[in-house]
Structure formats: C-alpha cells, structure tokens
Amino acid sequence: MRVRAAGLKCPAVRASQSSAHRPFGTTLCRMSRDPTHPVVHVEYPDWVDSVVDWEQAYPTDEKRMRLAIAIARENVDRETGGPFGAAIFEGPSGRLVAVGMNSVVRLNNCALHGEMMAFMMAQARVASFTLNAPQLPVHELFTSCEPCAMCLGATLWSGVQRVVYGATREDALRLNFEEGPVFPESYHYLEERGIRIVRNVLRDEARAVLEMYRAKGGKIYNG
C-alpha cells in the first residue's frame, strides 16, 4: 500500500483537507482497481479547526499539554471518540505539527489511538516516515494520558525524541481501558535509545477528562 498526503490524488479517494497551513490527512490507497479491496481513510473530525490554533506557538510544556487535553475533552464533548488527545510539536520552536484524537470507534479502526493518529498526521505533513530525519528539527509527543503498549511501541519508530504525558496508566485502568503490556523495562528501552520521558504534567486536568467520559457513560472499546 502507498501512503499519500491529503490534497494529492490517488486511485481510491482524495482526502478532504487541502489547506496549506493544516496537517494533512492520511489516505491508504488501494493497490489495484479491484473494488473488493478495502480503502482506509483517516481524517480529523470536523471540529478540529475550531479547537486548534495551527499558527500559535506553544513555548512551554504546560501550553503543549493543555492543547492535548483540550483535544481529548472536545472528543468527549462531541462524542467523536475516547477521552484521549495528543499533539506533536517541534521541540525548539514550539511549532505545532499535528494533533491526534482517539478515533477507534468513529473510524472502526483499533489502531487509531490519539498518539497513533498524531504520528500518522505528522509524518504525512513533513513527508517523512520518521520525525527524526536529518533535515528535520527535534519533534516531541504530548499526550493527555500515558501511552498504551501499542502507542509506546510505535513511539520508538515514530522519530519523536521526547514524550510527555498527563494522566497515568492507573487513571485509564480505573475506567477499565486495557493498556496492554507496558513495564518499567519498556521505558528503559526507549530511554536507552535517546527518547526522554516526562510524566504527570497537568495530571489532574487530564484525569478530569477521563472522569468526564466515565460520567457520560462513554464506550470502553477494548478489543
């Protein structure tokens, strides 16, 4: 399969986002014209531009985390997914590259956790399979909740060089979300490869979004 950024034509579909200042959508195009082949189209919900200021700089960890939390909160308010949001920034400048929100149920895809979506969108925007390419600045992931096993594993290959999270694995488990096999050794492995981990930034604010999801009777979509 080929990955194309939005605004470029492919045999299957054309993504809806084409504004030059926004992170591009990601489309996986079919390899043949056989109509039985599936097409996976990943895009933001329609509210994203009303919440995200793509032109603003985010100079501090708190400002960056508040954006990730705001995305998670809006996802719950709009009932477009689970209570998890993420954002990827250029580390030195604070420039926003991409955001991600949990889209598992909305797009019927178990891989679309907030961090995974942020990785996809960021890599499409910079046109590189890694955010650690030589021509790129340092990229950092901010996520409203500690990454699950899938997202933590993908972090290694994403190219981000710093991960900052808010709520913890324990906070998510209270809602009965399955976080998978994440161990202290998992973090040691990433740190040994130069990825810095920062924990519990604005944890109470991030945890409040999880509790809001619980109060609304939000779907727990394990498996």
Side-chain angles (χ1 to χ4, degrees):
M1 286 188 177
R2 293 173 295 166
V3 179
R4 298 279 186 94
L8 301 181
K9 295 180 180 178
C10 74
V13 295
R14 180 170 56 83
S16 59
Q17 293 183 359
S18 60
S19 176
H21 72 280
R22 298 186 195 129
F24 293 139
T26 300
T27 303
L28 304 185
C29 303
R30 70 178 89 218
M31 293 179 66
S32 79
R33 296 182 183 277
D34 186 335
T36 64
H37 289 183
V39 175
V40 180
H41 186 181
V42 179
E43 63 182 355
Y44 290 139
D46 58 10
W47 51 259
V48 70
D49 288 335
S50 67
V51 174
V52 178
D53 183 349
W54 298 104
E55 304 300 330
Q56 178 182 337
Y58 297 81
T60 67
D61 283 1
E62 287 73 20
K63 286 184 179 295
R64 298 177 194 187
M65 182 59 73
R66 283 208 166 91
L67 177 61
I69 294 170
I71 292 164
R73 185 183 302 110
E74 197 72 16
N75 214 31
V76 174
D77 281 342
R78 303 281 187 128
E79 299 184 347
T80 50
F84 306 102
I88 292 176
F89 302 88
E90 291 181 357
S93 69
R95 175 177 174 266
L96 176 63
V97 179
V99 299
M101 64 293 297
N102 183 280
S103 301
V104 169
V105 175
R106 178 172 66 90
L107 295 178
N108 296 310
N109 190 323
C110 68
L112 293 182
H113 289 196
E115 298 96 329
M116 299 296 288
M117 195 163 185
F119 293 150
M120 293 178 191
M121 295 301 196
Q123 290 168 350
R125 185 172 193 187
V126 303
S128 173
F129 63 86
T130 175
L131 298 173
N132 194 24
Q135 75 277 12
L136 296 176
V138 170
H139 284 78
E140 301 180 348
L141 169 69
F142 281 70
T143 177
S144 66
C145 188
E146 183 175 357
C148 71
M150 174 178 67
C151 297
L152 195 64
T155 296
L156 176 64
W157 296 290
S158 71
V160 298
Q161 296 177 52
R162 187 167 178 255
V163 175
V164 183
Y165 67 75
T168 67
R169 171 187 178 88
E170 290 72 26
D171 297 329
L173 288 172
R174 289 192 188 97
L175 275 69
N176 294 319
F177 277 113
E178 171 59 63
E179 294 298 282
V182 176
F183 309 106
E185 293 79 7
S186 307
Y187 284 104
H188 295 159
Y189 191 96
L190 295 182
E191 290 170 331
E192 287 172 356
R193 281 151 183 80
I195 300 172
R196 291 175 293 154
I197 310 295
V198 180
R199 298 167 171 85
N200 302 326
V201 174
L202 302 181
R203 180 183 177 184
D204 289 343
E205 293 181 29
R207 184 166 46 194
V209 177
L210 298 176
E211 293 304 319
M212 181 173 67
Y213 190 73
R214 189 215 297 267
K216 289 170 67 73
K219 183 179 181 65
I220 306 301
Y221 40 81
N222 297 323

